[in-house]
């Protein structure tokens, strides 16, 4: 399975016990920018683990959204060309 990319509005980390994260969103400098005079920070997490993908799709907090395949591919092309 191809990797799936998720974005969030917060740098969050999910774990069962507080020590072993199964998902960790980190600042995505490529997607962070100035919007209407306010710095908009975007945090990113990428995985191909189907269980993790299913769990994140159920999270309704932290502004977590799944990046559609076309956008994820464009992001990868942009970051790979630098």
């Amino acid at each position: 399975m191809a990797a799936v990319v998720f974005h969030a509005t917060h740098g969050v980390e999910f774990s069962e016990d507080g020590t072993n994260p199964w998902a960790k969103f980190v600042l995505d400098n490529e997607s962070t920018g100035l919007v209407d005079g306010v710095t908009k920070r975007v945090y990113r997490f990428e995985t191909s683990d189907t269980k993790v993908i299913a769990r994140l799709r159920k999270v309704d907090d932290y502004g977590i959204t799944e990046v559609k395949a076309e956008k994820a591919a464009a992001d990868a092309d942009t970051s790979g060309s630098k």
Side-chain angles (χ1 to χ4, degrees), residues 60-81:
D60 190 28
D61 208 353
Y62 308 109
I64 294 175
T65 56
E66 182 176 350
V67 179
K68 298 303 176 197
E70 304 84 40
K71 172 103 171 83
D75 287 349
D77 289 345
T78 303
S79 62
S81 63

Side-chain angles (χ1 to χ4, degrees), residues 16-78:
E16 300 300 327
D17 59 6
T19 59
N20 298 312
W22 54 265
K24 182 177 181 179
F25 286 80
V26 295
L27 186 61
D28 181 5
N29 289 322
E30 297 294 322
S31 298
T32 297
L34 199 60
V35 177
D36 296 328
V38 177
T39 300
K40 178 184 173 193
R41 289 187 172 87
V42 177
Y43 296 83
R44 176 186 173 100
F45 176 72
E46 185 173 330
T47 185
S48 57
D49 184 320
T50 55
K51 290 181 182 178
V52 171
I53 293 167
R55 289 175 84 173
L56 285 173
R57 285 178 176 159
K58 294 177 185 176
V59 174
D60 190 28
D61 208 353
Y62 308 109
I64 294 175
T65 56
E66 182 176 350
V67 179
K68 298 303 176 197
E70 304 84 40
K71 172 103 171 83
D75 287 349
D77 289 345
T78 303

